[in-house]
Amino acid sequence: MTVGLLSAVVFTPLVGALVIGFAPARWARILALVTSLIAWVISLWVAVGFSAGVQGFQLVEKLDWIPIFGIQYKLGIDGLSLALIVLTTTLSWISILASFAPIQTRIKEYMISFLILEVGMLGVFLALDTFLFYIFWEVVLVPMYLIIGIWGGANRIYATIKFVLYTLVGSLLMLVAILATAFAYQGAHGGAWAGAFDFEALKAYAGTTGFADGLQLLGFAAFFLAFAIKVPMFPFHTWLPDAHVEAPTAGSVILAGVLLKLGGYGFIRFSLSLYPDASHTYAPLIIVLSLIAIIYGAIVAMVQPDLKKLVAYSSVSHMGFVTLGIFVFQEQAMDGAILQMVNHGLITGALFLLVGVIYERTHDRTIAKMGGLAALTPVYAATLGFFVFASAGLPGLSGFIGEFLTLIGSFVANPWVAAVAAVVMILGAVYLLWMFQRVVLGEPSAFLLGLKHHLSDMTATEILTLAPLGALVVVFGLFPGILLNLVSGPAKVALAAVGQGTAITVDPIWVAAGLGFVVAVIAWRLLALRPRRPTDDGGSAVQTVEGAA
């Protein structure tokens, strides 16, 4: 096999990381930026040559890796993969550029970690062998652990260990499911391992003969846990705010912009295709958890005193629309879910960049200390307002179309589900606009006035990192067909796969146990949200357990 474009886009960052490892430290920044830009250009080259109307995977690269077990190095791309690949390479070079000023220690190690992280993310979206997919999935964990743990905030050790433990538990269960599925396929084919890890072969088998009910239920549950933690879905979301708050700005951008999408991608690519019957069985529970995430994330975001934590909890709410759109099994909702993944990556990535801009000047993210930024930093205030309105779903910007399609598809599937999600969208506008009012409008606060010349407006480099994201938000908002033409094919394929399935009959005792667990978790989280007692100095503690920094 000759190295193709897909291998080139995946491993270009690895080559760059090796070069940086042997180069002087003073060259690390520019080498990392050049490397990420090369990977970005290759991804655009792939996009130009991609045929949106062709069914199936394109540019497939295949090489026997461990032939005794049928494991292959196999890459392929469809419209879903392409959208996420270009999103990843775009946010990667922007994040590296945004790291030039904030990262002043161990620069070489930071850039190497970031490029290896890019390798893992790109590999996840392109792997067509389940074992290879797992390898890339795990590659992502190590560099993100280092980025948070070394270059993060004061509580970085707690945050990064929590992130690793959550992710690792789900990943190991997913590996068990991958092996169990491979053994089942091998047993059904006379003991031959050929195709046991090949996604296309497994998908074809799942759509014809199908895996046993027990394997589907347990395999889906294992995959679900890995993907739900990554999304993250309620109640597996608690690692996310801590990781975001402690991560450096670029780490938060990639975490929100790309890593959360790994979970949504996994649901669409693997869960629906390999376990169609189990997907129908678990769908009602996942829809309920998605609605809880939408509501819960919005309510908790409203009470956050920390600007970065507010944006983090907004991700929990917005990603709830993604899982909702996937599991109502309706074409428009599925299209909306995929668009929501891309648009969330652009908008929330930009919001985290903007949080980083103000933090570099004030070394504080407390909303109560802000106020009047429009008078002191007008360019920053206007840019923040643009992305706030995009996140709130203003028509004409890309944040609107994904949620709109998800609601339409959900209404076709179940009007009550759509009604709940639509009402909660109002809460999104509440916490975003209220935050904007407190941070930007009014007279400058005493805290900001005390910074004097340290509070400068945005630099050319900061504008350069945000301009491409703003342009894409406008383009995809006005011309959503650009993305819809790409993703509609994969969305139909995923729905066709799951459409062949029917719900598996489950013992009512297990159903009751599952519902009881959900109710218990909700009750526990509501108790955690109770107001604290007044402090000894007479102040009223308006923060909650969730809202504490």
Side-chain angles (χ1 to χ4, degrees):
M1 181 201 76
T2 57
V3 175
L5 285 176
L6 300 187
S7 293
V9 73
V10 171
F11 292 108
T12 292
L14 180 60
V15 174
L18 294 174
V19 172
I20 292 172
F22 291 99
R26 65 180 182 274
W27 294 357
R29 289 189 179 94
I30 190 64
L31 286 174
L33 180 59
V34 169
T35 300
S36 60
L37 284 171
I38 291 173
W40 178 61
V41 170
I42 297 173
S43 70
L44 295 180
W45 190 1
V46 172
V48 170
F50 184 83
S51 299
V54 176
Q55 293 291 328
F57 294 97
Q58 301 177 37
L59 303 175
V60 175
E61 303 174 20
K62 184 166 60 175
L63 176 68
D64 287 337
W65 182 17
I66 311 176
I68 191 173
F69 293 115
I71 297 174
Q72 301 173 313
Y73 170 82
K74 186 176 181 182
L75 304 179
I77 193 167
D78 62 0
L80 172 61
S81 301
L82 179 59
L84 295 174
I85 285 295
V86 175
L87 174 68
T88 302
T89 56
T90 302
L91 289 177
S92 292
W93 75 258
I94 288 174
S95 298
I96 289 174
L97 180 60
S99 300
F100 275 25
I103 303 301
Q104 296 295 330
T105 59
R106 299 183 179 180
I107 299 170
K108 177 186 286 193
E109 292 85 350
Y110 177 87
M111 295 302 173
I112 290 174
S113 298
F114 218 96
L115 291 174
I116 294 175
L117 175 63
E118 186 177 5
V119 172
M121 295 185 297
L122 294 171
V124 165
F125 295 135
L126 293 175
L128 293 182
D129 180 279
T130 54
F131 187 79
L132 181 65
F133 169 80
Y134 177 77
I135 295 297
F136 282 124
W137 182 276
E138 289 296 274
V139 166
V140 170
L141 181 62
V142 177
M144 183 54 74
Y145 166 81
L146 297 175
I147 289 171
I148 300 174
I150 297 176
W151 295 277
N155 295 322
R156 59 186 180 275
I157 302 301
Y158 168 78
T160 194
I161 290 176
K162 190 175 182 180
F163 164 71
V164 168
L165 290 178
Y166 268 73
T167 305
L168 196 59
V169 168
S171 298
L172 291 177
L173 289 175
M174 181 173 69
L175 176 61
V176 173
I178 289 172
L179 295 176
T181 304
F183 272 106
Y185 183 90
Q186 179 249 10
H189 289 80
W193 282 100
F197 293 92
D198 188 321
F199 168 71
E200 292 184 290
L202 292 171
K203 178 183 174 183
Y205 179 77
T208 52
T209 306
F211 295 103
D213 288 353
L215 175 61
Q216 285 206 47
L217 288 173
L218 294 176
F220 184 98
F223 271 96
F224 168 78
L225 189 59
F227 299 150
I229 289 172
K230 194 72 78 175
V231 166
M233 291 184 64
F234 179 92
F236 310 106
H237 67 285
T238 58
W239 64 268
L240 181 68
D242 294 311
H244 270 309
V245 169
E246 301 305 327
T249 297
S252 292
V253 171
I254 291 298
L255 193 60
V258 182
L259 288 193
L260 305 190
K261 311 308 176 291
L262 269 58
Y265 173 82
F267 279 132
I268 298 170
R269 179 70 77 219
F270 293 97
S271 297
L272 301 188
S273 298
L274 300 184
Y275 313 114
D277 295 335
S279 297
H280 283 276
T281 304
Y282 286 101
L285 175 62
I286 297 176
I287 290 172
V288 170
L289 292 177
S290 299
L291 291 175
I292 294 173
I294 295 170
I295 300 169
Y296 177 84
I299 292 175
V300 176
M302 281 193 293
V303 300
Q304 292 309 310
D306 184 291
L307 187 57
K308 200 173 189 183
K309 216 165 189 179
L310 183 149
V311 180
Y313 273 107
S314 76
S315 292
V316 176
S317 184
H318 286 139
M319 291 302 292
F321 281 95
V322 173
T323 51
L324 174 64
I326 293 172
F327 283 94
V328 295
F329 304 141
Q330 205 280 335
E331 185 176 340
Q332 287 175 312
M334 181 70 77
D335 288 341
I338 299 174
L339 263 63
Q340 179 75 350
M341 285 197 290
V342 176
N343 296 328
H344 176 268
L346 298 174
I347 297 169
T348 307
L351 288 174
F352 276 117
L353 285 173
L354 287 163
V355 173
V357 168
I358 200 64
Y359 182 76
E360 286 301 311
R361 289 154 172 77
T362 65
H363 297 288
D364 204 307
R365 294 187 299 263
T366 306
I367 296 175
K369 291 183 179 181
M370 306 295 173
L373 279 174
L376 302 174
T377 56
V379 175
Y380 176 84
T383 307
L384 178 63
F386 173 82
F387 285 106
V388 161
F389 280 108
S391 184
L394 181 69
L397 301 179
S398 64
F400 169 75
I401 189 65
E403 292 182 354
F404 179 71
L405 288 175
T406 301
L407 289 175
I408 290 178
S410 300
F411 185 84
V412 173
N414 188 317
W416 288 107
V417 169
V420 172
V423 171
V424 176
M425 287 180 67
I426 300 173
L427 296 179
V430 169
Y431 68 75
L432 286 166
L433 295 180
W434 188 33
M435 176 272 290
F436 184 75
Q437 176 189 13
R438 288 179 289 166
V439 171
V440 172
L441 304 180
E443 295 296 324
S445 67
F447 171 72
L448 295 180
L449 290 175
L451 296 173
K452 299 180 181 178
H453 63 279
H454 294 291
L455 191 61
S456 59
D457 213 334
M458 294 176 65
T459 65
T461 300
E462 291 165 343
I463 293 173
L464 180 59
T465 60
L466 288 160
L469 301 180
L472 290 173
V473 166
V474 173
V475 169
F476 293 152
L478 296 177
F479 306 101
I482 297 173
L483 283 176
L484 285 173
N485 290 337
L486 275 181
V487 305
S488 60
K492 291 178 181 177
V493 170
L495 290 173
V498 76
Q500 302 172 16
T502 55
I504 300 170
T505 302
V506 181
D507 193 316
I509 294 178
W510 288 106
V511 176
L515 292 175
F517 173 76
V518 173
V519 171
V521 170
I522 295 172
W524 173 62
R525 300 308 290 172
L526 288 175
L527 289 174
L529 285 171
R530 69 186 186 278
R532 292 179 178 177
R533 293 179 180 178
T535 59
D536 293 336
D537 60 2
S540 176
V542 295
Q543 293 185 15
T544 63
V545 172
E546 285 285 355

